[in-house]
Amino acid sequence: MNRLHPLSAVTLALQRGVTGFSIPFFLVGIGSSIFDLDIGLLFVLSPVGLVAGIGYGIAYYYRFSYEVTPSTFDVSSGVLSRRSREIPYRRIQNVDVSQGVLQRVLGLAVVSIETAGGGETEATLNFVSEDEAERLRTEIRHRTAAADGRTADASGRTTDDRRTATAEAIDAVDADGISNPDQAERTRDQGGPVLLFELEMKELLLYALTSFRWGAAIFPIAILFFVSGVDFESGRIPQFVLAVAQPLGGAETVDGAAVGPLLILIATAAIQWTVATYVASAIYTVANYYGFQLGRAGDDFVYERGLIQRYSGSIPAEKVQSVTVTENPLQRLVGYAGLWVETAGYGPDMGNASQSAVPLAGADRIYRFAENLTGVETPRFRNPPSMARRRYFARYSLIAGCLVVAALVLSRVSAFDRWSLSIVAFLVVPPAAHLKYENLGYFIGEDHLVIRRGFWKRRTTVIPYYRVQTVSTRRSIFQRRLGLASLAVDTASSRTFAWGSPTIYDIDLETARNAHATGRDRLQSALRERARADDIGLSVDFT
């Protein structure tokens, strides 16, 4: 059995020691207000907690062990309560390695092992040396390949791939202009994975400027609270927020402000917050995807990324459930798109390892990648019936009407007297309904189902039939009156909980029923063919 790096004992001791030292402050603080405890107990309990925490951290280090066996990856842990896990290699989805700044300086790494059946990490080795992390990743990949009926050499390539991996992968890289073939040749000569894609600085900046992550909104909020001294109870907010709103009729102060100026202040503050979120999102994207590289090692994709914290991991091709091409209006305007893959129980933005196969590249190249990766024929999309477009027109007209009513109410309670300008919202309704309709489509192929939806974040998802878990027909009240239905397709990927299941929206009820039956029949056919052929159904060669 192997142990973690000795510095892990120091880290655990410090973490547990700080926890043990701080717990008495919380307990005595609560107890003194209820039971009138003597505050002097802190000088006794806190040192005891510090010593107990340090002792527990050291004991946890010595009680933690792991081992790579022929059939399972074994982990034993726990001080008071022991836990032993045997993880079969067939269930392993991802082996990810992450390093913070301090960890890179110390030559340490965190190894996370993900399995099918859930988004949580099955085992975490915190910390091991960089060499040990790479050894574990390579050996687990080797044994995973063997468990799946393949054999792999020391670099992770399967035996069948040794003869053709270099020529096919480098030819594919060179043909699509993904990266420098000389660099790919060097990585192969050094025994590493064959480089398939490298995110250049121009593409990284373009990706940062054309992406918007709402999760980054927490950063400007934190700055306001901890730097600017925001206090809503006393009505104290940053002066620059008030200064931007005042020329537009906003309130000079929150305390005692009229409804109208206060609403204008809220609107301008929301705009400033959105701009700050966009800037924070761009910074996060640059830090997160700096130095992104995608390579091939046998039948796995391997990637590296990150500026402040470095991530690396593998994506087994045979574990891929679906492939999605993403584009927003800005990216479509400049002719770029991204490619994401989803594996069972572990999706792109879950945990600390993104599974973006290609964050951003030319749209033509991305679509070729998706076709070559999945083997799908070039899709010929079908749009929903024209009745769906009329439905979207009615829906957006109702939204525009609500905006007009809101503006009218605002004019009654404030000095805002240009409520009639809100009628312009009705001019947006026809193009909005048309764009919603035009960006919907589906293609029922021989071996794959392709679904396209969304305008602001258009997603084109390719799903092999043998990966389909369930197909369900859904009808709202309005769809039933119009004779329409939506067809939702679920796979084993947990990523669909965040993006929503790939869905064919607003098609004729009879078409939905036929597609449902066709999908079920082709799923059974695909499963029978795969049982006979016993192949993984996906290619890692971008040819």
Side-chain angles (χ1 to χ4, degrees):
M1 300 290 283
N2 302 294
R3 295 194 184 278
L4 301 175
H5 194 279
L7 286 178
S8 179
V10 178
T11 303
L12 287 169
L14 290 176
Q15 289 176 344
R16 304 293 185 177
V18 171
T19 301
F21 184 80
S22 59
I23 286 179
F25 282 89
F26 174 77
L27 295 178
V28 173
I30 297 296
S32 61
S33 62
I34 299 176
F35 304 107
D36 195 24
L37 292 179
D38 185 4
I39 201 71
L41 288 174
L42 287 175
F43 297 99
V44 177
L45 297 179
S46 291
V48 172
L50 175 63
V51 173
I54 292 176
Y56 184 88
I58 295 174
Y60 187 88
Y61 166 78
Y62 282 104
R63 297 284 283 171
F64 189 101
S65 60
Y66 63 92
E67 183 177 11
V68 179
T69 70
S71 57
T72 60
F73 182 79
D74 299 343
V75 179
S76 298
S77 62
V79 178
L80 302 178
S81 177
R82 294 289 291 168
R83 182 186 181 190
S84 298
R85 284 157 289 172
E86 296 181 352
I87 307 173
Y89 295 116
R90 281 185 175 274
R91 292 188 60 240
I92 293 178
Q93 300 287 320
N94 309 79
V95 180
D96 301 320
V97 178
S98 61
Q99 293 178 283
V101 176
L102 181 60
Q103 294 160 12
R104 293 213 300 271
V105 171
L106 297 176
L108 303 177
V110 178
V111 179
S112 302
I113 298 176
E114 312 290 341
T115 61
E120 296 184 356
T121 301
E122 183 69 23
T124 301
L125 308 184
N126 192 3
F127 305 95
V128 296
S129 66
E130 291 178 338
D131 293 340
E132 175 68 1
E134 184 59 32
R135 183 191 74 82
L136 287 172
R137 183 165 56 185
T138 301
E139 189 165 353
I140 291 175
R141 186 187 305 131
H142 175 98
R143 295 186 181 277
T144 301
D148 292 330
R150 300 170 284 139
T151 58
D153 59 20
S155 65
R157 281 187 196 86
T158 60
T159 303
D160 293 338
D161 291 333
R162 292 176 189 170
R163 180 174 53 85
T164 60
T166 303
E168 291 181 356
I170 293 179
D171 287 345
V173 169
D174 189 24
D176 285 324
I178 304 172
S179 63
N180 189 332
D182 294 334
Q183 186 176 3
E185 180 72 28
R186 286 196 299 272
T187 60
R188 192 268 304 170
D189 291 339
Q190 295 168 0
V194 176
L195 182 65
L196 296 178
F197 177 82
E198 184 174 22
L199 191 66
E200 298 177 355
M201 182 56 66
K202 178 187 70 173
E203 294 171 324
L204 175 61
L205 295 177
L206 185 61
Y207 185 40
L209 295 175
T210 58
S211 301
F212 191 87
R213 304 173 187 274
W214 283 108
I218 190 64
F219 294 109
I221 293 176
I223 292 174
L224 284 179
F225 275 94
F226 296 106
V227 177
S228 301
V230 176
D231 187 354
F232 290 112
E233 292 184 0
S234 63
R236 186 173 72 250
I237 62 175
Q239 188 61 38
F240 69 87
V241 176
L242 297 172
V244 173
Q246 288 173 10
L248 302 175
E252 297 181 359
T253 180
V254 175
D255 189 21
V259 176
L262 186 60
L263 291 176
I264 294 175
L265 174 61
I266 293 174
T268 55
I271 294 174
Q272 295 177 67
W273 171 70
T274 302
V275 173
T277 300
Y278 174 77
V279 174
S281 172
I283 295 173
Y284 171 82
T285 301
V286 171
N288 205 34
Y289 286 95
Y290 178 85
F292 182 95
Q293 292 183 337
L294 177 70
R296 170 194 173 170
D299 285 335
D300 293 348
F301 296 109
V302 292
Y303 65 88
E304 293 184 8
R305 63 176 176 86
L307 178 61
I308 299 175
Q309 186 159 2
R310 193 70 180 167
Y311 298 105
S312 60
S314 59
I315 308 173
E318 66 171 2
K319 310 295 185 182
V320 173
Q321 300 293 305
S322 62
V323 175
T324 300
V325 177
T326 61
E327 308 164 275
N328 62 36
L330 288 176
Q331 291 168 351
R332 291 200 297 273
L333 183 65
V334 296
Y336 278 76
L339 181 70
W340 298 78
V341 297
E342 305 169 19
T343 60
Y346 190 72
D349 278 336
M350 302 183 62
N352 57 1
S354 171
Q355 293 199 83
S356 173
V358 180
L360 195 73
D364 292 341
R365 290 165 55 197
I366 289 292
Y367 279 101
R368 286 201 305 272
F369 296 167
E371 291 179 6
N372 293 332
L373 174 61
T374 61
V376 65
E377 58 269 41
T378 302
R380 299 179 298 278
F381 288 105
R382 296 176 58 186
N383 290 104
S386 57
M387 179 66 71
R389 179 159 37 196
R390 292 198 291 271
R391 182 188 178 211
Y392 304 142
F393 182 87
R395 178 191 298 175
Y396 296 146
S397 295
L398 290 174
I399 295 175
C402 292
L403 291 176
V404 173
V405 171
L408 181 60
V409 172
L410 178 62
S411 68
R412 294 290 187 267
V413 298
S414 69
F416 180 73
D417 59 354
R418 296 182 180 180
W419 68 270
S420 57
L421 293 177
S422 62
I423 299 177
V424 176
F426 284 100
L427 299 179
V428 183
V429 169
H434 176 73
L435 291 173
K436 170 75 172 179
Y437 174 82
E438 285 297 320
N439 284 278
L440 293 177
Y442 64 96
F443 170 70
I444 302 176
E446 291 297 324
D447 301 307
H448 302 80
L449 180 65
V450 186
I451 301 175
R452 183 180 66 192
R453 72 270 189 213
F455 170 72
W456 296 109
K457 188 71 170 181
R458 188 167 72 184
R459 302 183 181 97
T460 305
T461 303
V462 181
I463 308 173
Y465 286 120
Y466 66 88
R467 293 300 191 188
V468 174
Q469 297 287 313
T470 60
V471 180
S472 56
T473 302
R474 305 172 182 175
R475 304 183 71 197
S476 67
I477 297 176
F478 301 102
Q479 286 178 316
R480 288 201 295 269
R481 295 192 61 180
L482 298 174
L484 302 176
S486 296
L487 198 69
V489 181
D490 290 316
T491 66
S493 171
S494 59
R495 185 61 176 92
T496 55
F497 290 109
W499 272 354
S501 300
T503 303
I504 305 174
Y505 290 102
D506 296 320
I507 56 178
D508 290 324
L509 177 59
E510 190 62 29
T511 303
R513 288 173 175 170
N514 291 336
H516 193 150
T518 300
R520 183 179 62 247
D521 294 341
R522 292 186 179 175
L523 167 60
Q524 298 301 323
S525 299
L527 292 176
R528 288 193 297 268
E529 290 176 3
R530 278 179 53 79
R532 290 193 299 266
D534 193 29
D535 62 23
I536 65 173
L538 288 169
S539 169
V540 295
D541 287 319
F542 289 147
T543 56

